[in-house]
Amino acid sequence: MPDKSVKVICPSCGAENLTGTLFCVQCGIYLPFGGPLRTEPLPEQGQGQRPTATDRRTDTQEGKALSLEMEILDTGRKVWLSAEREILVGRLDAAHGIFPELDLGVDGGLEHGVSRRQARIYTKDGVCLLEDLDSTNGTFLNGERLTPYLPYTLHNEDVLTFGTMRLKIYIYTSK
Amino acid sequence: MGAFDPEKDYYAALGVPVEASEEEIKVAYRDLARRYHPDSGGDAERFRQIQEAYEILRDPTLHRAYDRQRESRGLSQESPLVIGLTLNRTNMQPLEVPQMLYVLVDIRPRVDLPSQRLPLNLALVIDRSTSMQGVRMENVKLAALDLVESLLPGDRLSLVAFSDRAEVIASGLSVSDKRALRSAISALMPGGGTEICRGLTAGLDELRRYVSDQYLNHLILLTDGRTYGDEEQSLSEVRRAGAQKIGISALGIGEDWNDLFLDALARQGGGICQYIRSPSQVRQLLRDQIRGLSAVVARQVRLVINPAPNVKIQAAFRAAPYMEYLTLENGTTLKLGNMGVDEPIALILDLVVQQPEPGERRLARLELEAATANDTAVTLQLRRDLAMTFSYSAQDEPVPGRLLNMLSRLSIFRLQERAWELAESGDVQQATNMLQAAATRLFDLGYKELAQVALTEVGRLSAGGAPTSEGRKRVRYGTRSLTSPV
């Protein structure tokens, strides 16, 4: 059992925090990790979490996932995106400073219940990940609803649903 | 899969209240499934019922449909509002030392409640000081004209223009006086200083002429500048208005207005303060504010928290749709204003637990009170207990994802708010450290542009200069909306 002393000393800035504090009050680092919380941790197995697929086609494992092709199934529109940067999926709203790399407003995003900040796609350690940003109508991966803010691994030809708008993702690695 | 029986009580099957959050349902299922699994000698039929209940309750779409069917059969409970509770842990050790505990409180309508478009008793208080000349005033006029067009029969609109003095240019006019309203707006001419309290008082006086429970009574202040010496008086005017159920919101245009002051006004008034960076945004943001007032599901929402003697509420925050510090009135009550349709309220409570006894303990009793949208005489009341199991064998648990992410963003919000406070009070070193920390955390989470703005201000501070008004506003208003579901 870890030693629970009176206060938790932050390993980064030395500030005193009460036992059980998650983010240092002085510098904001995630105390249980002792370092930056870039991607929030996945829950332990058996909590009803979507299984990380071993039964799927694995196309992306070795090389870095570099480009994505998103096919909007209702309109047939195809969009090429580089997975080198984070991709915000949503609807353009210049007034609020929201500029999604994948703007679904043009495809009828509003009518399909797509939030302005719906979800994000990013790459980490060569794996392509999808994260719902607590959108109003939810983000679904192959029909299963994502828990907000948790990363889910994307595989080639997965079907992503934002609100009621369905897209298919094609992941291309460098040769 | 997906077929449910509304006659069955799935809540009872999992032993959870109707208002249970996703997390609570998950935890309850996990415990029961373990206990009743046939492989560990449990009853197969009971296990199947648990499975069926969980399958429906864990899926938001099925859950909603199930609730709706139960309601239409008269099987559901009364309360149209529900409280969901998510804690960062379900078991804690009964330590001698004080321990932090984080609670996410979700307040939302249980099923799709119809929202009410209540008649509005509205006062628009417009700054017409010299600096409003040009593009700013043009856009404000257009925004005000939009507002006039959106009025419905039964609404009342008062217009106050202020600079050194305040002028009432329209008093409680209705839809049938659109022409008078339009000409009053068109006649606005910028010139003079900025005496916000005068404008505020005049606007409140107008509202009070027509104030009644059948209206949604609200004042919107539009300003681009600073007032001097009358901040305290303004705040007490707003406080007084609050006692009469008049709400206040603010829109600050450009860089020169005092964001700490306008935030305080709006917070005191139960409304929102928004930053308008460019005059072209005035129309949209005023429209948004009116829309927020026009689709109300519950009014005067308050959460009363009664903690156990060994539990202290160290801090309380609104977490969504935007973050803000909340103050506990009388040490127990959080005033949350109106709840708009599509705008459920999320709060985060920082609790400190001292020397608990082992066992299942109640940490606090929560009581939610609200007035129904259409009849403020009808009060909704809902009670939930916050409980914790204290055991020497308690292990560390993974923090529920949504809570963790909100706390992560809340931490950044708090760091930068504290930094600005310190900068104002002259502690430049500490202010720099905290703002730097906030910037680093923003980079960590991928908010590069916002992080850059914060870093630029850090640079100014550490070079012995002052932060820019624009920088501070961009960081403050940018960070508070990191949790916006949008």
Side-chain angles (χ1 to χ4, degrees):
Chain A
M1 208 97 63
D3 171 36
K4 303 275 196 212
S5 41
V6 182
K7 302 261 184 164
V8 174
I9 308 293
C10 174
S12 175
C13 71
E16 285 186 348
N17 292 271
L18 284 182
T19 305
T21 305
L22 290 178
F23 293 92
C24 173
V25 294
Q26 192 89 323
C27 72
I29 71 151
Y30 186 57
L31 292 169
F33 280 4
L37 189 70
R38 172 65 174 103
T39 305
E40 282 68 32
L42 292 165
E44 61 187 20
Q45 289 302 320
Q47 276 192 28
Q49 195 55 50
R50 174 176 178 271
T52 45
T54 44
D55 55 332
R56 301 178 165 282
R57 277 162 285 169
T58 50
D59 302 291
T60 60
Q61 284 359 318
E62 278 323 302
K64 270 210 301 229
L66 280 185
S67 27
L68 307 174
E69 186 185 356
M70 311 287 297
E71 182 186 0
I72 295 138
L73 294 173
D74 299 315
T75 62
R77 179 165 84 102
K78 290 188 178 181
V79 185
W80 278 93
L81 294 158
S82 163
E84 277 166 359
R85 307 160 50 216
E86 174 179 308
I87 295 164
L88 176 65
V89 182
R91 284 186 296 113
L92 177 70
D93 184 347
H96 289 92
I98 297 162
F99 300 97
E101 280 77 26
L102 180 57
D103 173 23
L104 297 176
V106 301
D107 306 276
L110 185 61
E111 294 76 42
H112 283 82
V114 178
S115 295
R116 280 173 283 178
R117 296 190 78 242
Q118 170 81 18
R120 66 183 190 126
I121 297 173
Y122 59 102
T123 311
K124 188 175 157 74
D125 300 329
V127 178
C128 202
L129 300 164
L130 172 68
E131 193 179 291
D132 172 64
L133 297 172
D134 211 2
S135 63
T136 310
N137 295 306
T139 300
F140 302 77
L141 178 55
N142 298 320
E144 188 161 336
R145 187 169 183 147
L146 271 52
T147 302
Y149 300 123
L150 291 180
Y152 292 74
T153 309
L154 288 176
H155 298 86
N156 191 35
E157 298 197 47
D158 273 345
V159 174
L160 315 184
T161 310
F162 302 109
T164 61
M165 185 174 284
R166 295 181 323 136
L167 286 77
K168 199 163 192 182
I169 185 170
Y170 299 90
I171 304 175
Y172 297 87
T173 58
S174 61
K175 291 286 184 262
Chain B
M1 196 213 88
F4 57 78
D5 184 356
E7 297 290 334
K8 292 191 188 163
D9 188 343
Y10 292 136
Y11 298 104
L14 293 182
V16 295
V18 175
E19 315 85 43
S21 69
E22 249 184 72
E23 262 316 297
E24 288 168 280
I25 293 170
K26 222 184 275 188
V27 169
Y29 168 72
R30 215 171 0 127
D31 285 340
L32 284 173
R34 232 178 275 154
R35 227 185 297 165
Y36 288 94
H37 202 290
D39 290 352
S40 25
D43 179 66
E45 178 53 34
R46 179 82 202 271
F47 183 69
R48 199 198 54 76
Q49 286 169 359
I50 293 165
Q51 293 271 72
E52 182 181 340
Y54 182 56
E55 208 176 85
I56 302 306
L57 293 184
R58 70 186 282 231
D59 179 323
T61 316
L62 290 173
H63 189 159
R64 248 197 314 270
Y66 171 70
D67 279 348
R68 242 187 301 237
Q69 290 246 12
R70 276 180 76 77
E71 172 150 311
S72 67
R73 283 156 201 250
L75 293 170
S76 65
Q77 279 168 256
E78 289 311 303
S79 175
L81 290 181
V82 300
I83 300 177
L85 297 172
T86 310
L87 286 76
N88 65 301
R89 45 193 315 159
T90 58
N91 296 273
M92 286 170 82
Q93 289 191 27
L95 300 179
E96 291 289 309
V97 300
Q99 298 182 73
M100 284 296 307
L101 180 66
Y102 304 92
V103 185
L104 170 60
V105 182
D106 283 300
I107 303 170
R108 55 182 175 80
R110 189 163 46 76
V111 288
D112 299 320
L113 268 185
S115 72
Q116 297 282 334
R117 196 327 191 150
L118 291 159
L120 299 174
N121 174 18
L122 208 57
L124 195 58
V125 177
I126 300 172
D127 180 341
R128 64 168 199 89
S129 59
T130 311
S131 50
M132 287 289 290
Q133 216 162 31
V135 190
R136 283 182 188 175
M137 185 51 90
E138 289 317 307
N139 276 285
V140 167
K141 285 187 185 179
L142 288 172
L145 289 170
D146 282 347
L147 170 50
V148 170
E149 287 316 304
S150 70
L151 289 177
L152 294 178
D155 288 343
R156 282 192 182 281
L157 179 60
S158 304
L159 295 171
V160 170
F162 73 95
S163 55
D164 301 285
R165 296 197 200 294
E167 296 104 35
V168 178
I169 60 177
S171 172
L173 295 187
S174 70
V175 140
S176 46
D177 309 304
K178 274 189 185 175
R179 199 177 312 168
L181 284 166
R182 283 193 212 114
S183 50
I185 291 167
S186 308
L188 283 168
M189 290 275 277
T194 310
E195 294 277 332
I196 289 181
C197 193
R198 295 207 171 156
L200 206 54
T201 309
L204 289 172
D205 284 342
E206 289 311 303
L207 282 176
R208 279 189 268 260
R209 280 187 215 280
Y210 312 101
V211 74
S212 108
D213 269 346
Q214 65 162 168
Y215 284 120
L216 197 68
N217 306 284
H218 205 85
L219 182 148
I220 298 178
L221 170 65
L222 259 158
T223 180
D224 75 338
R226 288 182 178 258
T227 194
Y228 292 97
D230 59 359
E231 284 102 341
E232 267 319 302
Q233 205 186 337
S234 302
L235 281 166
S236 72
E237 279 292 318
V238 172
R239 214 168 293 137
R240 197 158 69 94
Q244 296 172 282
K245 316 260 176 62
I246 297 175
I248 319 271
S249 296
L251 291 165
I253 308 175
E255 315 311 336
D256 297 323
W257 50 283
N258 185 343
D259 48 290
L260 294 175
F261 169 55
L262 246 58
D263 267 352
L265 272 185
R267 188 163 54 237
Q268 184 69 245
I272 183 177
C273 174
Q274 290 180 294
Y275 169 33
I276 303 183
R277 272 188 77 191
S278 125
S280 58
Q281 296 173 312
V282 177
R283 293 174 81 176
Q284 181 64 53
L285 291 183
L286 184 60
R287 204 174 298 149
D288 286 348
Q289 284 213 9
I290 302 299
R291 199 180 28 234
L293 295 173
S294 303
V296 167
V297 151
R299 304 163 74 178
Q300 295 141 33
V301 183
R302 327 175 264 298
L303 186 68
V304 180
I305 309 171
N306 277 305
N310 66 325
V311 174
K312 198 166 61 96
I313 306 160
Q314 190 173 77
F317 303 88
R318 185 190 301 269
Y322 56 89
M323 292 183 272
E324 69 173 340
Y325 281 100
L326 293 172
T327 29
L328 284 161
E329 315 258 327
N330 310 316
T332 61
T333 310
L334 295 175
K335 289 217 184 114
L336 304 170
N338 298 325
M339 186 187 305
V341 75
D342 296 337
E343 276 186 354
I345 298 170
L347 308 173
I348 287 183
L349 306 175
D350 281 5
L351 302 180
V352 179
V353 180
Q354 300 256 27
Q355 299 176 337
E357 296 289 334
E360 168 123 0
R361 303 285 156 205
R362 182 168 81 198
L363 296 173
R365 169 152 286 173
L366 304 177
E367 271 167 353
L368 180 68
E369 288 169 6
T372 53
N374 56 346
D375 185 353
T376 51
V378 177
T379 312
L380 302 170
Q381 266 181 331
L382 187 55
R383 178 181 294 171
R384 285 296 301 279
D385 280 342
L386 195 61
M388 175 60 61
T389 306
F390 293 99
S391 136
Y392 290 103
S393 59
Q395 301 279 354
D396 279 340
E397 307 163 60
V399 181
R402 186 161 161 262
L403 171 58
L404 185 56
N405 277 274
M406 285 188 155
L407 287 173
S408 173
R409 284 153 179 80
L410 187 60
S411 149
I412 297 175
F413 171 71
R414 294 169 79 166
L415 281 173
Q416 59 88 40
E417 285 290 288
R418 185 86 187 105
W420 302 118
E421 256 172 60
L422 291 166
E424 285 273 296
S425 68
D427 187 348
V428 179
Q429 184 59 59
Q430 267 292 71
T432 313
N433 291 339
M434 292 203 125
L435 199 54
Q436 171 77 64
T440 309
R441 298 283 298 119
L442 283 168
F443 272 120
D444 284 346
L445 290 181
Y447 297 104
K448 299 194 181 80
E449 205 195 315
L450 197 51
Q452 202 53 62
V453 178
L455 263 191
T456 309
E457 297 304 310
V458 170
R460 289 209 172 81
L461 276 170
S462 51
T468 63
S469 193
E470 175 178 1
R472 181 170 97 175
K473 286 182 178 62
R474 286 181 67 183
V475 174
R476 292 190 69 230
Y477 292 89
T479 51
R480 78 181 51 181
S481 52
L482 290 176
T483 49
S484 288
V486 178

